[in-house]
Amino acid sequence: MLTHIAAGIEYNPTVDQTDLFIFVYGLIEDGINEENGQGENLFITRVNGRRRNDMTGKAVSSGCVAGAKSCLNSKYEDVVSASLRCLTPLVRLPLPAIESQSDNIKAALFGIAESSVNTGSSLMQSCLRLLTVLLRGTKITLSSDQLHLLIQLPLFVDLEKNPSFVALSLLKAIVNRKLVVPEIYDLVTRVAELMVTSQVEPIRHKCSKILLQFLLDYRLSEKRLQQHLDFLLSNLRYEHSSGRKSVLDMLHTIIVKFPKGVVDEQSQTFFVHLVVCLANDQDNEVRSLAGAAIKCLTGYISLHSFRSILEYSLSWYLGSKQQLWSAAAQVLGLLVEVMEKGFHKHINKMLPVEVMEKEFHKHINRILPVTKCILQSAINAVTDGQQDFSNETNIPLWKEAYYSLVMLEKMLHQFHGLCFDRDLEDIWEAICELLLHPHMWLRCISGRLVAFYFAAVTEACSKNHEKPFGTYYLIRPSRLFMIAVYLCCQMKTQLVDDAASNLITQNLVSTICGVHSLVGQTECADPTQFWSTLDQHEQGCFLKAFELLDARKRRSMFLSLTSGICDINNESPSKNIRYLLVSSLLKKIGKIALQMEAIQMKIVFDSFGKISSEISQEDCLLYAYEILLPLYKVCEGFSGRVIPENMKQLAQEISERIRNKLGVQNYVLVYNDIRKNLKAKRDKRKHEEKRMAVTDPMRNAKRKLRIAEKHRANKKRKMMTMKMGRWTHSKSK
């Protein structure tokens, strides 16, 4: 029936011939569900309000094929193009008529291709799309002459200048069928170049799939394969990062899908080029992809190749060339990362994790001394105080030290007994000093490692009750006090994000509670005995820490107490020492909360809340004044600056928790004491201001100008905060 309809429309000059295809498209749209380019035979009819499969659908579809096919010989180009577009979805269906007529359709398509003048026309585009679908879904093949004809079309000749999805889709179908003519090799080479140079992501993706399929399915000679691999490796230095990413994606897929023997044979070449990319590329995503490729490569190589890669990395890290230390540390860290239990589940490893661990563990004692040397050199490079480190990238040795610590962190996670090794004691001390390093990344990684050490000690003590808590290297009062002071100083610098803030909070709580607990456990009957039990290094830690705190008065009190000069007022000596140390830290971070930004204030208040929950009520009362003072100033509006509303709420919450801890009566006593002392200070200051107005009018005038300027700045800041709040609220709506 459709054949007659088609003939009638075609030969009737008074009828628009596209009406046939509107009709056919209607049939197709009613019965075909296309998803991802794959059609299904879903022609259905309704019977008693229900849908059911009907053999009539197949007959109609066959009629559509016949009806559309009868128009391929039309003298009107638009009619032929429309018929091709109608046939394209039908060819995807499992219809007997398609298979029987496929050769005839192919012949008609090549006839159109040979006679078409404009290869960019709608007719040619429809023709090539239908040919692509035929190659994918039917058993037709192409002769050498037909392949020659296609490849010589301008669509393929001008592929680099004007890449076409139609041409690439057809080429992919040809490659999937493993059809071969000599020109195909040159064409795929140009596709590889397009994969690198194109700035259009879908084009690069399509080219990648073509190249990969070609490399996998075509039995290339060793020379041809090497040419393609060399091309990819050379383009790891391509000027645009998009091209480098495409190459790295391709290399990653090649490592996974290529025969293991080929990957193992090429592993050394791959490794060297990937390391160069990892070390030198300026794009973070490219470096991440290079690292992922190195890890993947390690999972697909033999023991011999793994040993070679390990020896290469060790020779770079242990050598005298500073420019290689950073890259070597990154690679060694990646090799350790491959040994993690979760990683090897995702790939079919040639080399068991246990073997890799054994090989790597042999060299740990060679690695650690170099790590210590690099860290100490990085510290020494920034302690002379004569250089300007406002630009972090100019800080010497920061990158080498950072990646050495990243490597060490991975080693600690993988080799659990390493954390408390005596060979690491100097490294742990250097890590603590790096908490003050001017480079943000080094401060963050050092804080993370310190937190790891504290967690490891807690776990070890829960398993081994015989070894006292305070006998671990960093868990000694002097070192805990020093770390806490370093953290106080670190809060005065720029903080990266919430993760870094949480680490500082966690470490502050651990160190302050540790100092409180360990000093409180001392059995010294005399403060001087406490001092005498410390070695020279520990005594130096206490003195240096007080200097960093800028607490000269408390340093003098500490020295007086430990020398026996100070009157201990018949109180426990350990209590005096403990109170002096802990209160010094609490007072310092309380000041920082009021001097710095909201992020530092949150760290301090969260620390206060956690510290108060971990100590007893009696001990909490001992430090209640230092803890509640900054909370009182924020809650009562005596902080001297504009405080964000969320910080006021946090201060109120922490204050409530401390009240519950102390009890209402104790809390009120401390709160009133704070109020009375602050009032006394204000009254004294006002009296001095009045006296200054009489005795030194010039100084008093300058003071008023400073106050007025401060008020203007606070008012401006408050207005900006209100505007931002209204803008955020309106935008959320």
Side-chain angles (χ1 to χ4, degrees):
M1 179 182 69
L2 289 177
T3 304
H4 295 298
I5 293 174
I9 292 176
E10 181 179 4
Y11 295 108
N12 188 342
T14 63
V15 177
D16 186 353
Q17 297 179 6
T18 59
D19 289 345
L20 167 65
F21 304 104
I22 294 174
F23 175 65
V24 175
Y25 267 128
L27 292 176
I28 295 170
E29 289 294 327
D30 286 342
I32 297 178
N33 175 28
E34 282 195 82
E35 184 176 353
N36 297 327
Q38 300 297 321
E40 296 179 2
N41 184 9
L42 297 175
F43 283 103
I44 47 182
T45 58
R46 290 187 176 272
V47 179
N48 297 327
R50 295 180 297 173
R51 290 180 179 265
R52 67 177 181 86
N53 291 331
D54 198 321
M55 292 302 293
T56 309
K58 290 186 178 180
V60 172
S61 299
S62 299
C64 291
V65 174
K69 177 179 173 295
S70 67
C71 296
L72 293 180
N73 296 322
S74 173
K75 62 182 179 179
Y76 299 104
E77 183 175 306
D78 291 342
V79 174
V80 177
S81 178
S83 67
L84 293 174
R85 291 197 297 273
C86 287
L87 273 174
T88 299
L90 292 175
V91 168
R92 295 191 178 105
L93 298 174
L95 303 175
I98 295 296
E99 199 64 46
S100 63
Q101 296 292 329
S102 60
D103 286 330
N104 293 332
I105 297 174
K106 180 187 74 170
L109 292 176
F110 273 94
I112 295 170
E114 289 176 343
S115 61
S116 180
V117 177
N118 182 9
T119 57
S121 65
S122 174
L123 174 61
M124 180 58 83
Q125 298 288 309
S126 300
C127 176
L128 296 180
R129 286 193 182 98
L130 180 53
L131 181 58
T132 301
V133 174
L134 277 174
L135 285 171
R136 288 175 178 171
T138 67
K139 297 179 181 179
I140 69 164
T141 186
L142 302 180
S143 66
S144 297
D145 291 339
Q146 290 170 334
L147 277 174
H148 281 297
L149 173 64
L150 290 176
I151 292 174
Q152 290 171 2
L153 290 174
L155 283 172
F156 290 111
V157 174
D158 299 332
L159 191 62
E160 296 96 322
K161 296 180 181 178
N162 187 23
S164 163
F165 281 103
V166 174
L168 292 173
S169 297
L170 178 56
L171 180 58
K172 187 174 185 299
I174 292 172
V175 170
N176 285 343
R177 295 294 295 273
K178 303 180 185 178
L179 303 176
V180 181
V181 288
E183 292 85 352
I184 199 76
Y185 297 100
D186 176 64
L187 182 57
V188 172
T189 299
R190 288 157 52 205
V191 168
E193 294 174 357
L194 184 60
M195 178 194 75
V196 176
T197 58
S198 176
Q199 297 298 305
V200 181
E201 173 60 30
I203 291 288
R204 295 199 306 271
H205 181 67
K206 180 75 76 173
C207 291
S208 298
K209 296 178 75 172
I210 294 171
L211 179 59
L212 178 64
Q213 198 68 44
F214 176 79
L215 295 176
L216 288 173
D217 289 349
Y218 286 68
R219 295 184 177 180
L220 302 178
S221 66
E222 184 177 345
K223 181 179 178 180
R224 283 187 182 274
L225 177 61
Q226 192 63 53
Q227 287 175 345
H228 281 286
L229 295 178
D230 290 344
F231 168 80
L232 291 172
L233 295 172
S234 66
N235 277 285
L236 286 174
R237 299 184 297 274
Y238 184 67
E239 59 179 327
H240 297 296
S241 61
S242 58
R244 302 196 298 275
K245 292 173 189 176
S246 295
V247 172
L248 286 167
D249 286 334
M250 175 61 65
L251 287 173
H252 192 286
T253 309
I254 286 174
I255 292 169
V256 174
K257 293 184 176 292
F258 262 45
K260 301 296 187 295
V262 175
V263 175
D264 197 57
E265 183 180 345
Q266 297 286 336
S267 61
Q268 305 300 316
T269 305
F270 283 0
F271 173 71
V272 172
H273 282 83
L274 289 171
V275 170
V276 172
C277 180
L278 178 71
N280 299 330
D281 205 286
Q282 300 301 312
D283 188 280
N284 290 334
E285 189 175 351
V286 172
R287 290 200 302 271
S288 177
L289 290 173
I294 290 174
K295 289 196 294 183
C296 184
L297 177 66
T298 308
Y300 281 88
I301 57 178
S302 63
L303 176 59
H304 173 74
S305 297
F306 176 78
R307 283 175 175 166
S308 298
I309 286 177
L310 181 56
E311 287 296 337
Y312 266 126
S313 306
L314 288 170
S315 66
W316 297 335
Y317 193 66
L318 305 179
S320 58
K321 294 183 179 179
Q322 179 181 327
Q323 63 269 26
L324 297 178
W325 293 345
S326 172
Q330 292 181 69
V331 174
L332 290 171
L334 293 173
L335 297 183
V336 176
E337 198 172 338
V338 173
M339 302 174 199
E340 293 180 2
K341 293 181 179 179
F343 182 81
H344 69 277
K345 294 180 181 179
H346 301 291
I347 61 173
N348 182 20
K349 293 181 67 64
M350 289 180 63
L351 190 60
V353 172
E354 296 77 10
V355 176
M356 297 177 68
E357 282 186 345
K358 184 178 179 181
E359 290 294 323
F360 194 93
H361 198 274
K362 296 176 184 177
H363 305 283
I364 288 180
N365 291 333
R366 299 170 60 195
I367 294 172
L368 294 180
V370 178
T371 301
K372 180 180 73 172
C373 182
I374 291 175
L375 298 182
Q376 290 176 342
S377 298
I379 294 170
N380 295 334
V382 297
T383 52
D384 55 14
Q386 297 179 358
Q387 300 183 44
D388 179 20
F389 297 126
S390 56
N391 186 355
E392 290 185 336
T393 57
N394 295 331
I395 300 175
L397 289 169
W398 77 263
K399 188 178 294 185
E400 292 79 3
Y402 173 76
Y403 287 113
S404 292
L405 289 181
V406 172
M407 173 194 67
L408 177 63
E409 183 181 34
K410 294 175 181 178
M411 289 167 58
L412 292 172
H413 281 284
Q414 187 64 27
F415 304 103
H416 301 291
L418 187 62
C419 185
F420 306 124
D421 195 304
R422 290 187 63 86
D423 292 337
L424 251 73
E425 290 183 353
D426 290 339
I427 292 179
W428 282 117
E429 187 167 345
I431 289 171
C432 294
E433 291 190 49
L434 287 170
L435 290 169
L436 293 182
H437 196 274
H439 200 286
M440 185 188 307
W441 289 14
L442 274 171
R443 296 196 299 270
C444 290
I445 185 67
S446 299
R448 199 160 68 231
L449 284 167
V450 169
F452 174 86
Y453 188 95
F454 291 155
V457 170
T458 302
E459 182 181 358
C461 289
S462 65
K463 294 179 180 178
N464 182 9
H465 301 285
E466 297 180 359
K467 188 173 182 179
F469 180 72
T471 57
Y472 292 91
Y473 184 72
L474 292 186
I475 310 299
R476 297 177 187 176
S478 60
R479 291 187 176 87
L480 288 174
F481 188 71
M482 176 64 82
I483 294 172
V485 172
Y486 284 159
L487 294 170
C488 292
C489 298
Q490 192 180 102
M491 279 197 291
K492 296 181 179 180
T493 62
Q494 180 184 358
L495 301 181
V496 184
D497 50 23
D498 291 339
S501 303
N502 293 336
L503 270 176
I504 294 177
T505 304
Q506 179 183 340
N507 289 333
L508 268 177
V509 174
S510 298
T511 51
I512 294 176
C513 290
V515 170
H516 168 81
S517 175
L518 291 174
V519 179
Q521 293 172 6
T522 182
E523 297 179 357
C524 296
D526 187 345
T528 56
Q529 291 186 11
F530 171 80
W531 185 254
S532 63
T533 59
L534 306 176
D535 59 32
Q536 186 176 0
H537 180 75
E538 290 179 303
Q539 293 174 358
C541 282
F542 275 120
L543 298 178
K544 180 181 177 182
F546 275 112
E547 289 178 0
L548 288 173
L549 275 179
D550 196 21
R552 298 174 184 174
K553 181 179 178 181
R554 288 180 176 261
R555 181 175 182 267
S556 299
M557 291 173 62
F558 179 77
L559 290 174
S560 299
L561 187 62
T562 54
S563 63
I565 299 175
C566 181
D567 180 13
I568 60 176
N569 297 323
N570 296 321
E571 295 184 6
S572 168
S574 63
K575 180 179 179 181
N576 278 321
I577 296 173
R578 181 178 65 178
Y579 173 75
L580 181 62
L581 295 175
V582 176
S583 63
S584 299
L585 296 171
L586 295 175
K587 185 177 180 180
K588 183 65 175 181
I589 62 175
K591 288 182 177 179
I592 292 173
L594 300 177
Q595 293 169 352
M596 301 299 291
E597 302 300 324
I599 188 170
Q600 284 89 351
M601 184 175 289
K602 184 177 187 305
I603 291 173
V604 174
F605 290 172
D606 285 341
S607 299
F608 283 165
K610 292 179 180 179
I611 290 170
S612 62
S613 65
E614 291 192 14
I615 59 179
S616 66
Q617 182 188 33
E618 182 183 357
D619 293 333
C620 188
L621 182 60
L622 185 65
Y623 310 120
Y625 190 94
E626 287 78 11
I627 292 176
L628 286 175
L629 178 60
L631 295 171
Y632 174 89
K633 289 183 176 180
V634 170
C635 292
E636 301 297 333
F638 294 118
S639 61
R641 63 189 182 93
V642 178
I643 303 296
E645 193 62 34
N646 61 333
M647 288 298 103
K648 291 182 180 179
Q649 294 176 0
L650 178 60
Q652 191 65 44
E653 291 173 8
I654 301 300
S655 185
E656 290 290 331
R657 285 162 58 181
I658 294 173
R659 183 177 68 176
N660 295 334
K661 180 79 174 186
L662 296 175
V664 176
Q665 185 176 359
N666 290 331
Y667 177 83
V668 170
L669 288 174
V670 177
Y671 216 71
N672 287 337
D673 193 22
I674 292 172
R675 182 184 291 112
K676 182 177 67 174
N677 289 342
L678 289 179
K679 184 178 183 304
K681 288 183 179 180
R682 287 196 299 271
D683 291 343
K684 182 180 179 181
R685 184 173 62 251
K686 289 179 180 179
H687 177 72
E688 290 178 351
E689 289 171 358
K690 290 179 180 178
R691 187 175 61 181
M692 184 193 303
V694 177
T695 60
D696 195 347
M698 184 65 70
R699 182 182 173 191
N700 186 60
K702 290 180 180 180
R703 182 186 64 81
K704 288 185 176 182
L705 289 174
R706 286 197 305 269
I707 293 174
E709 180 63 28
K710 184 178 179 181
H711 286 168
R712 283 195 296 271
N714 286 339
K715 185 177 180 181
K716 183 178 180 180
R717 191 183 299 112
K718 188 174 182 179
M719 292 296 295
M720 288 298 297
T721 303
M722 292 173 62
K723 289 180 180 179
M724 287 297 295
R726 287 197 298 266
W727 179 78
T728 305
H729 180 70
S730 62
K731 192 171 183 180
S732 63
K733 287 184 177 181

